[in-house]
Amino acid sequence: MKAIVIHGRLDLRVEDVPTPQPGAGELRLRMAYGGVCGSDLHYWAHGANGEYVVREPLVPGHEVSGTVELDPSGELAPGTPVTVHPATFGTPEPGIEDRPHLWPGGAYLGSASTWPHTQGGMSEHLVVRRDMVRVLPEGVSLRRAALAEPLAVALHGLNVAGDVAGRRVLVSGSGPIGLLAAAAALARGAAEVVSTDVLEGPLERARRLGVHGTVRVGAEQVPPLAFDVVLECSGVPAATSAALVGARRGAVVVQVGMVPDEARPVNLAPLVSKELQLRGSFRFADELDEALELLAAHPGIEDVVTHVLPAERAAEAFAAAQDSAASGKVLVSLWHDDPR
């Protein structure tokens, strides 16, 4: 089968690899779309994602959709449209029994955090466990379903924050996760959603999703003491400082965007003086199911997708995803004949 393979820094190839065969409790999918995530970009651009270095050829991709090709159990018919929960959970620990995404020893599709690496879904075929597969709701296309995983990340951030219905929400950063976080907050009944970014392109995309306001960072000020909930989705330390300013007294600030694993300056004075709650959010647990429901109920969320490129142009797709001024979510079409 064909696959997109990262061999190291800026070394991405389309090549033939063995077609996997399902074992007990597994099935094989014919892949349709793969979204380019920030971690995929790091593996491609730097040969590493934080401390996780590409040490063997790595197939990226954990934001995927496809159809069932072979289910030895006979439960799912060939052609059934699906998406995939990309996590294999590890070993429970006391105190986090209800948060399997935090259990140590887990794995994630398209990740160099394990050895051997956990291969991802940017390939013609993918073998996964049956419990990782989610059948698509009626009306959700394979293209839209590729948004389920990043939307689940955004929903998990909202769950960490608590109920946002009737509340004022600031979304810091309007990249793909920030856009999906804004869309999710709107869908959950937030009274006001304001998005920020340093670039006009992402802000225009946020406005098309229906946010109530936008702030161009560097040209405009984030309103101080204005928001009940802040979702920091950029991963830029300076943005965390600005987010703390925007939070009202006693507000909840959730760090959704991944930040560098290094010391960076952040002004924590507002955290103390306003008695803020600063919380972290990591991937997601079971929010993928709600993500699919939202994608069915709110088809306009698909407007987050700005580029769809064929697998043969994968390097171009990755480069486009790096250009946040021009791109939202970039998808790679994976050797399939889906017309949508």
Side-chain angles (χ1 to χ4, degrees), residues 87-161:
T88 302
F89 298 130
T91 304
E93 281 192 345
I96 55 170
E97 292 90 348
D98 62 340
R99 290 185 279 178
H101 58 294
L102 299 181
W103 295 349
Y108 218 70
L109 291 180
S111 174
S113 64
T114 57
W115 183 258
H117 296 340
T118 303
Q119 302 299 326
M122 287 193 183
S123 53
E124 280 190 272
H125 309 281
L126 178 68
V127 166
V128 292
R129 293 188 333 213
R130 171 62 184 89
D131 61 0
M132 298 170 70
V133 171
R134 303 291 190 274
V135 176
L136 301 189
E138 185 70 28
V140 175
S141 67
L142 291 170
R143 170 177 153 145
R144 198 186 315 160
L147 294 173
E149 193 275 351
L151 181 56
V153 171
L155 287 168
H156 184 68
L158 285 169
N159 285 340
V160 170

Side-chain angles (χ1 to χ4, degrees), residues 16-336:
D16 292 318
V17 299
T19 300
Q21 300 299 322
E26 296 179 330
L27 45 74
R28 188 170 69 209
L29 308 179
R30 177 66 182 261
M31 306 311 295
Y33 295 97
V36 181
C37 176
S39 61
D40 301 322
L41 285 178
H42 282 297
Y43 285 130
W44 168 69
H46 310 295
N49 180 33
E51 63 182 301
Y52 304 128
V53 178
V54 175
R55 293 173 288 162
E56 67 173 343
L58 175 68
V59 178
H62 52 261
E63 304 175 358
V64 295
S65 64
T67 56
V68 174
E69 183 175 73
L70 176 62
D71 181 2
S73 74
E75 179 185 358
L76 294 179
T80 301
V82 299
T83 188
V84 177
H85 193 307
T88 302
F89 298 130
T91 304
E93 281 192 345
I96 55 170
E97 292 90 348
D98 62 340
R99 290 185 279 178
H101 58 294
L102 299 181
W103 295 349
Y108 218 70
L109 291 180
S111 174
S113 64
T114 57
W115 183 258
H117 296 340
T118 303
Q119 302 299 326
M122 287 193 183
S123 53
E124 280 190 272
H125 309 281
L126 178 68
V127 166
V128 292
R129 293 188 333 213
R130 171 62 184 89
D131 61 0
M132 298 170 70
V133 171
R134 303 291 190 274
V135 176
L136 301 189
E138 185 70 28
V140 175
S141 67
L142 291 170
R143 170 177 153 145
R144 198 186 315 160
L147 294 173
E149 193 275 351
L151 181 56
V153 171
L155 287 168
H156 184 68
L158 285 169
N159 285 340
V160 170
D163 186 10
V164 298
R167 308 186 80 186
R168 298 165 297 171
V169 178
L170 176 69
V171 179
S172 170
S174 296
I177 293 297
L179 292 173
L180 291 169
L186 290 167
R188 284 191 171 184
E192 181 182 13
V193 178
V194 174
S195 296
T196 78
D197 206 275
V198 298
L199 300 169
E200 179 57 30
L203 293 178
E204 176 56 31
R205 288 187 278 278
R207 287 190 285 268
R208 288 200 296 267
L209 286 174
V211 300
H212 300 88
T214 58
V215 175
R216 178 84 176 267
V217 177
E220 303 170 290
Q221 294 296 316
V222 174
L225 296 166
F227 300 97
D228 306 300
V229 173
V230 177
L231 302 172
E232 204 306 291
C233 299
S234 73
V236 178
T240 302
S241 296
L244 297 180
V245 172
R248 65 158 172 82
R249 293 176 179 87
V252 174
V253 179
V254 181
Q255 185 63 46
V256 181
M258 292 296 290
V259 296
D261 186 17
E262 60 189 47
R264 293 272 183 108
V266 175
N267 180 12
L268 293 181
L271 185 74
V272 177
S273 63
K274 292 191 287 187
E275 203 167 288
L276 303 178
Q277 297 182 52
L278 179 59
R279 305 174 182 175
S281 178
F282 181 67
R283 291 178 180 164
F284 60 93
D286 58 2
E287 286 87 353
L288 193 70
D289 301 300
E290 183 184 356
L292 288 171
E293 293 173 3
L294 277 186
L295 290 171
H298 301 275
I301 293 176
E302 191 174 343
D303 289 344
V304 170
V305 177
T306 57
H307 296 69
V308 181
L309 294 171
E312 289 76 13
R313 296 168 61 190
E316 184 180 339
F318 276 57
Q322 269 199 322
D323 183 1
S324 56
S327 70
K329 175 55 65 179
V330 176
L331 302 183
V332 178
S333 181
L334 298 165
W335 299 288
H336 64 102

